[in-house]
Amino acid sequence: MSPRKIVLRFGPDISDKPVIYRLVKDYDLLVNIVKANVNPQKEGTMVLELTGEQYDRGLEYLRSCGVIVQDLTQEIVRNEEKCTSCGACTAICPTGALHIQRPEMVVCFNSDDCVVCQLCVRACPVKAMEVRL
Amino acid sequence: MSLEKTYAEINAKIKAGKAVVVTAEELIQIVEEKGISRATREVDVVTTGTFAPMCSSGAFLNFGHSQPRMKMQKVWLNGVPAYAGIAAVDAYIGATELPEDDPLNSNYPGEFRYGGGHVIQDLVAGKPVKLRAISYGTDCYPRRQLETTITLSDINEAILFNPRNAYQNYNCAVNLGNKTIYTYMGMLKPNLGNAHYSTSGQLSPLLKDPHFKTIGIGTRIFLGGGIGYVAWHGTQHFPAIQKDSAGNDCGPAGGTLAVIGDLKQMSPEWLVGTSYLGYGATLSVGIGVPIPLLNEEITLYAAATDRDLYAPIVDYSEAYPNRQPGNLGYVSYAELKSGKINVQGKEVPTAPLSSYPRAKKIAAILKDWIASGQFLLTEPVKLLPGPEAGLCGKPLHSKE
């Protein structure tokens, strides 16, 4: 089973709870934390890669704790109207999620490979990459 | 004697709907199949295209007169200063101008989210733009301040005038240093982490006429989605034929164009406000130049492929900012487009800053315009200086 990428949002009331520990201990899920952040209001955002048989039950547990769970692919958006296919993002993207299709030289975005490093968001000259975390 | 065609003959064919017009990519194939002589006989016009950030761009605007009249001394458009030291209600908005309250690089690397290039894109998109002006007041122009909203259709004239566009060739930028740098060639990762280049190679207008045999003052072009003209050679027009350390010919370098056109007939698809992290704001411009195949020599140059055209590899961590001469060697556009090059024994991933798909589209649009008879070629009033003119850049010396 290939890992699935999700975005978790924690309110200030639960950001200090060991919910990820529970995912591992109680649901036997393989967890890879791609990105984690707690803001000054104690709200947390986390990007996870999750693998395991009890994936759905794990997500159910998260929701029952009040964690908002979103699919990562909905979070990383390329504004197709704005993108000019210049390519400035492609050598910077560490995973090849943004890459050039040859010989057409068109820039393609494969959100499954994206790890939300957000380098592209800042590097895109026409601000076509939008991260909605 | 080899074939010689004239502009008049080609225009007559365009008017009759009989001209054979192909893109520079298509010409390459035709020449490979049929050779230079047959290609010259069979093809009349070759179209080129480029779409990339072109900093030396801007627009002259005439706002019309307010009541009471005002000699606009200082002008801002959406908070971006425009140069108003021209005439009472004329201003020039430059692509790289930034709002006065922009944090610039104080929060390094700065984002430069909005600048003159974005104002131009907003104007050409028909969006309302805030105009603010101040003045000292005169007997004939008593008004001292003004705040209003304009749109492109509200104002009298809007003339795109770009003093330096369509660079013939450009550096392939790399970073030999040990920290990420933020340049006008994009974000360059340390220790040769990536290499960026910025021309459309075999589609790029001035790479296809390296000796300026057809491009000159008055050449009618595709500019920003409308029709424009070559006004002059651009600033820093230093055409030359590059030679590597072994003396091999590495194709042309250094020519530029000054271009002019009516902003009102252009499109936000081809004039796009652009930001470079840690560097600044600018405007991406779409330009397409038609090249008439007047003789075999012109065909030969116009059929140059990505394998024949080279960019110098330049270190932007040390050599470029300190104006150190020389380079790290030359690399062909075929190699650059492959996605990786070899620099100092290391495999380095490459990426363009110039959109090849858009360059292709420009060449195709220009081809359609000419083939359908709506765009005739102009014979230049005067050709631009070519490599034989020996123009080269003067360094600026700081004097005590």
Side-chain angles (χ1 to χ4, degrees):
Chain A
M1 188 181 179
S2 60
R4 291 157 78 170
K5 286 202 194 100
I6 53 170
V7 181
L8 308 182
R9 293 167 193 277
F10 299 78
D13 51 328
I14 46 166
S15 58
D16 57 349
K17 302 252 166 29
V19 288
I20 304 302
Y21 168 79
R22 290 276 157 222
L23 282 182
V24 179
K25 180 89 175 158
D26 300 348
Y27 299 94
D28 196 24
L29 295 179
L30 189 65
V31 172
N32 179 27
I33 300 175
V34 175
K35 187 181 177 69
N37 175 51
V38 180
N39 70 18
Q41 287 75 43
K42 285 195 174 176
E43 294 158 332
T45 309
M46 186 180 277
V47 180
L48 278 188
E49 279 181 348
L50 268 190
T51 324
E53 305 253 318
Q54 299 187 64
Y55 177 86
D56 292 331
R57 286 191 56 214
L59 256 51
E60 215 170 283
Y61 159 73
L62 288 172
R63 290 193 182 101
S64 73
C65 299
V67 179
I68 298 165
V69 183
Q70 283 165 299
D71 200 2
L72 180 68
T73 52
Q74 295 168 2
E75 302 296 318
I76 312 294
V77 180
R78 180 170 63 150
N79 186 325
E80 306 263 346
E81 259 179 49
K82 280 190 179 174
C83 176
T84 64
S85 256
C86 75
C89 56
T90 57
I92 289 158
C93 177
T95 61
L98 284 157
H99 59 276
I100 290 179
Q101 183 183 306
R102 296 183 164 80
E104 299 84 359
M105 299 299 287
V106 176
V107 173
C108 299
F109 175 51
N110 182 0
S111 58
D112 286 348
D113 293 335
C114 174
V115 292
V116 207
C117 70
Q118 300 188 36
L119 279 175
C120 58
V121 179
R122 305 224 297 160
C124 175
V126 296
K127 305 289 174 220
M129 295 307 296
E130 296 164 6
V131 176
R132 295 173 188 162
L133 280 180
Chain B
M1 196 181 140
S2 64
L3 180 71
E4 289 285 342
K5 283 184 262 186
T6 67
Y7 282 85
E9 284 163 6
I10 292 174
N11 276 336
K13 286 175 86 174
I14 294 171
K15 280 184 201 162
K18 289 180 180 161
V20 177
V21 189
V22 303
T23 68
E25 270 188 340
E26 291 164 341
L27 179 73
I28 289 168
Q29 242 180 338
I30 294 169
V31 166
E32 274 169 12
E33 284 165 22
K34 302 181 175 180
I36 294 288
S37 297
R38 266 186 72 188
T40 311
R41 272 200 305 278
E42 291 176 14
V43 177
D44 298 301
V45 187
V46 175
T47 60
T48 62
T50 182
F51 181 84
M54 299 190 193
C55 280
S56 185
S57 298
F60 286 102
L61 308 170
N62 177 284
F63 301 114
H65 287 277
S66 60
Q67 191 184 35
R69 289 178 192 266
M70 182 179 188
K71 183 179 184 298
M72 296 183 189
Q73 185 199 0
K74 290 191 186 294
V75 163
W76 294 262
L77 292 162
N78 281 351
V80 179
Y83 180 70
I86 316 173
V89 291
D90 282 340
Y92 182 79
I93 177 88
T96 68
E97 190 62 87
L98 296 164
E100 280 149 355
D101 59 358
D102 192 290
L104 305 174
N105 254 345
S106 60
N107 185 14
Y108 179 83
E111 293 204 353
F112 305 99
R113 299 185 75 89
Y114 196 84
H118 299 83
V119 174
I120 292 170
Q121 187 181 15
D122 282 346
L123 276 171
V124 79
K127 290 186 185 168
V129 168
K130 275 187 191 161
L131 166 65
R132 185 164 83 85
I134 56 168
S135 186
Y136 49 90
T138 75
D139 290 342
C140 51
Y141 291 107
R143 190 164 185 154
R144 287 166 186 253
Q145 55 179 326
L146 179 143
E147 268 191 66
T148 186
T149 302
I150 58 158
T151 66
L152 190 61
S153 58
D154 290 340
I155 63 176
N156 287 319
E157 287 86 16
I159 305 157
L160 191 77
F161 181 76
N162 303 344
R164 183 170 79 244
N165 273 185
Y167 250 106
Q168 189 166 34
N169 199 354
Y170 215 82
N171 297 334
C172 165
V174 296
N175 176 6
L176 292 181
N178 56 14
K179 64 178 176 55
T180 297
I181 54 173
Y182 301 90
T183 74
Y184 66 78
M185 292 299 283
M187 189 195 290
L188 299 174
K189 296 198 282 188
N191 307 312
L192 291 168
N194 58 337
H196 283 172
Y197 63 97
S198 188
T199 92
S200 56
Q202 61 189 12
L203 268 177
S204 191
L206 303 192
L207 283 176
K208 312 260 62 182
D209 186 8
H211 294 269
F212 295 90
K213 300 276 183 188
T214 70
I215 301 170
I217 298 167
T219 296
R220 183 176 288 139
I221 61 172
F222 172 108
L223 177 60
I227 289 175
Y229 295 86
V230 173
W232 200 256
H233 56 270
T235 55
Q236 297 182 22
H237 175 76
F238 308 131
I241 300 301
Q242 308 173 120
K243 300 271 182 201
D244 67 11
S245 51
N248 298 313
D249 188 333
C250 290
T256 68
L257 299 180
V259 297
I260 190 165
D262 180 6
L263 188 69
K264 292 195 178 193
Q265 36 128 332
M266 295 183 193
S267 138
E269 187 183 354
W270 303 109
L271 293 173
V272 179
T274 302
S275 306
Y276 277 110
L277 185 64
Y279 177 73
T282 183
L283 183 71
S284 291
V285 181
I287 290 182
V289 178
I291 296 174
L293 296 190
L294 302 174
N295 56 48
E296 290 184 7
E297 186 191 5
I298 290 167
T299 309
L300 183 69
Y301 294 134
T305 71
D306 283 333
R307 297 183 301 278
D308 310 316
L309 301 165
Y310 291 79
I313 304 167
V314 175
D315 166 43
Y316 274 63
S317 70
E318 186 62 33
Y320 184 85
N322 293 313
R323 214 192 70 209
Q324 290 162 2
N327 56 52
L328 304 168
Y330 288 88
V331 62
S332 76
Y333 281 97
E335 291 169 90
L336 286 166
K337 274 191 190 161
S338 78
K340 48 185 190 250
I341 57 170
N342 193 294
V343 185
Q344 297 186 337
K346 188 179 173 186
E347 191 175 271
V348 183
T350 62
L353 302 177
S354 159
S355 171
Y356 199 74
R358 289 213 169 191
K360 271 177 92 150
K361 197 169 165 191
I362 290 169
I365 292 170
L366 187 53
K367 174 182 157 174
D368 283 350
W369 285 357
I370 298 168
S372 65
Q374 27 171 334
F375 184 108
L376 294 175
L377 304 191
T378 50
E379 182 161 5
V381 176
K382 183 178 186 290
L383 289 170
L384 302 185
E388 71 291 342
L391 297 174
C392 56
K394 290 190 181 94
L396 177 65
H397 297 291
S398 311
K399 290 169 189 150
E400 289 292 312

